[in-house]
Amino acid sequence: MKLTSKGRYAVMALVDLARFDTINPVSLRDISLRQGISLDYLEQIFSKLKKNQIVKSTRGTQGGYVLSKKPNEIKLTNIFNAVDEKVKTVQCKKESKKGCNGKATKCVTHNLWDELETHINSFFEKKSLEDLLKNNSERIN
Amino acid sequence: MKLTSKGRYAVMALVDLARFDTINPVSLRDISLRQGISLDYLEQIFSKLKKNQIVKSTRGTQGGYVLSKKPNEIKLTNIFNAVDEKVKTVQCKKESKKGCNGKATKCVTHNLWDELETHINSFFEKKSLEDLLKNNSERIN
DNA sequence: TACATACCTGACTAAAATGGTCAAGTTTAC
DNA sequence: GTAAACTTGACCATTTTAGTCAGGTATGTA
C-alpha cells in the first residue's frame, strides 16, 4: 500500500488554495512559500490536479490556480486519484485464471486486502476539503 | 504509508500454520512449498514473528513452527507490528516544538493522517487469524 | 555418534519507488 | 517587451523492497 508525501502535499496545497483563492488566483510560488513545498514539485502535482479538473489555471501576471469546484465537492478520493496515489494494497502476482500464486484458488489474503481497500476508501470518500478547512480554522500563516 | 508484501506473506504463512499445526509443528519448507514464498525470506519473517511471541519453534528433525496463541487471539495488528509493517502514514518532517514544516503550527494534514491511522488500525485490531480461517474454509491445497 | 533436517544470522543486492531538481520552453497581463 | 506565471519532460540521488546467498548452530532419530 502506498500513501506518500505527494498525496499529502496535494492536500496541503489544495487547502491552502481553498483559503486564499477567494479574490484572485493563487500562484504556486505563494503556496510554495506558505507550505514549504518545492515549487518544481508543486508544478508536477498541479499539472495532474488540472488534468483531473480539480483546479483551473489562469496564465500571465497575476495568474495562478483556483479550485474548479466548491470545497465540499472535492473529496480526498478525488485528490489522491488525481496524483496517482491509488490506495493500492499489494497485488497478488497475477490475477490470471489460475488464481494468485499459480495456485488453483485465490490466496488466503486476497479478500482481506479487498476489504481493507474498501475500508480506507470509505474514509477518503467521506472527507472533503471543506472538512479540513473547518478543522483548521486557526490561522496557519 | 507502507503495507507491502512482507506483511501479506506473514499473514499467509500464519494462516497456513493455523491450518496445519494441529498435530505436528510445521516446517518452513512446507509453508514455502504450499504458499509459494521463498524459504529464505520466510526465515526472516518467522524470526521476527518468534521474537514477538506469535509463534514457537521446535528444532531438530520433525521440528518446525507452531502458533503460540489461539487463532482468535492473534490480531492482524500483532502480525504487522511484528514484521515492522507499522501502518505508518507519511510523517511531517519534524514533530519539534515548532510544528510540522518549521511553521508555527501543525500542518493542515496533521490531524488527518492521525485519523486515518486510527481508522486503519481499528480494522486490523478487529480482524484475527480465526476470521481469515473462516473465510477460507474451502481448500487451498 | 553421525547426519539429515530443521532453525538462525547477517551480509548483500537488483530493481523499483520516492522525492525531488533542472532546463527549456510557452502564454499572457501590464 | 518583459516579467510573472504556467507547462513539459528529462533526469537523478537516495531509500525501500523483496528478496538471495552463505555460513552457521541445534537437535531428533537411527
Side-chain angles (χ1 to χ4, degrees), chain B residues 2 4-6 9 38 40-41 44 59-61:
Chain B
K2 290 197 319 180
T4 63
S5 56
K6 186 183 286 184
Y9 285 166
S38 134
D40 285 314
Y41 203 29
Q44 281 183 41
R59 298 187 147 207
T61 318

Side-chain angles (χ1 to χ4, degrees), chain B residues 6 22 24 38 47 50 53 71 75-78 87-88 91 93 96-97 104 111 117 124 126-127 132 135:
Chain B
K6 186 183 286 184
T22 44
N24 294 315
S38 134
S47 161
K50 194 185 172 185
Q53 282 115 38
K75 306 296 184 186
L76 294 195
T77 319
N78 307 139
V87 174
K88 60 177 171 194
Q91 308 296 350
K93 282 167 191 169
S96 64
K97 305 135 206 166
N111 296 329
E117 280 201 18
F124 287 142
K126 278 177 208 149
K127 287 270 173 192
L132 294 184
N135 280 339

Side-chain angles (χ1 to χ4, degrees), chain A residues 2 4-6 9 38 40-41 43-44 59-62:
Chain A
K2 290 196 319 179
T4 64
S5 56
K6 187 183 287 185
Y9 285 167
S38 134
D40 285 315
Y41 203 30
E43 287 179 346
Q44 280 183 42
R59 299 188 146 208
T61 318
Q62 305 300 333

Side-chain angles (χ1 to χ4, degrees), chain B residues 4 14 19 28 39 42-43 47 51-52 60 63 65 68 73 84 87 90 97 107 115 118 120 124 131-132 134 138 141:
Chain B
T4 63
L14 286 175
R19 290 174 55 224
L28 293 190
L39 177 58
L42 271 181
E43 285 180 349
S47 161
K51 274 184 197 136
N52 286 267
Y65 286 96
S68 60
E73 293 170 338
D84 293 326
V87 174
V90 196
K97 305 135 206 166
C107 71
E115 278 184 66
T118 309
I120 296 176
F124 287 142
D131 297 327
L132 294 184
K134 282 177 188 163
E138 345 108 56
N141 286 286

Side-chain angles (χ1 to χ4, degrees), chain A residues 113-135:
Chain A
W113 292 147
D114 279 353
E115 279 185 66
L116 175 60
E117 281 201 16
T118 308
H119 185 73
I120 297 177
N121 282 323
S122 80
F123 179 82
F124 287 143
E125 271 157 26
K126 278 176 208 150
K127 287 270 173 191
S128 70
L129 265 193
E130 193 175 42
D131 297 327
L132 295 184
L133 285 171
K134 282 178 189 162
N135 280 340

